[in-house]
Amino acid sequence: QVQLVKSGGGLVQAGGSLRLSCVASGRTFSSYIMGWFRQAPGKQRELVAAITSGGMLNYVDSVKGRFTISRDNAKNSVYLQMNSLEPEDTSVYYCAAARYWYGSTWSANLVDAWGQGTLVTVSS
């Protein structure tokens, strides 16, 4: 099973950009579906974006056109480039891995491994 270590996050003004990174340990990284979830105070943890090794992508509607997920299997890494950030994007963001592709139905209870959360705060 992979173990995930995340970096990035912080405070940014609305309209700004941030990049989150997540590095996985283990030799089977390329076999995992990778994704990013987020959880705002008082809300459920939701899928933001997901990517397969083959490049299949899924984004929640609210971030389409603003966020880009990518991965580098040679570096056991997955990234989330967040542009045109909005105050509504303020959340704790989590890197996640799963063995199966669930598409838009990938929920928090179907995650096989979590990275530690990192707070992204977007000020207006």
Side-chain angles (χ1 to χ4, degrees):
Q1 186 169 347
V2 293
Q3 293 184 327
L4 306 176
V5 177
K6 200 167 92 157
S7 62
L11 173 64
V12 65
Q13 288 188 328
S17 298
L18 282 174
R19 188 188 196 215
L20 305 181
S21 302
C22 179
V23 179
S25 63
R27 293 176 289 178
T28 59
F29 173 79
S30 62
S31 67
Y32 280 84
I33 311 304
M34 298 302 299
W36 294 91
F37 284 71
R38 66 185 179 187
Q39 187 168 20
K43 295 188 176 181
Q44 288 188 331
R45 195 171 297 188
E46 66 168 356
L47 175 66
V48 176
I51 185 170
T52 68
S53 282
M56 189 180 301
L57 304 172
N58 184 70
Y59 294 96
V60 66
D61 286 346
S62 60
V63 307
K64 286 180 180 177
R66 300 188 298 120
F67 289 13
T68 302
I69 188 171
S70 61
R71 66 190 292 166
D72 185 337
N73 289 335
K75 296 181 178 180
N76 278 15
S77 296
V78 62
Y79 310 98
L80 186 68
Q81 178 66 43
M82 305 183 292
N83 298 328
S84 301
L85 281 160
E86 303 169 351
E88 293 74 21
D89 296 316
T90 295
S91 285
V92 177
Y93 284 73
Y94 298 87
C95 178
R99 295 184 181 274
Y100 304 105
W101 175 252
Y102 300 102
S104 61
T105 64
W106 188 12
S107 58
N109 64 320
L110 295 174
V111 171
D112 293 316
W114 290 105
Q116 75 273 28
T118 188
L119 179 61
V120 172
T121 303
V122 184
S123 62
S124 57

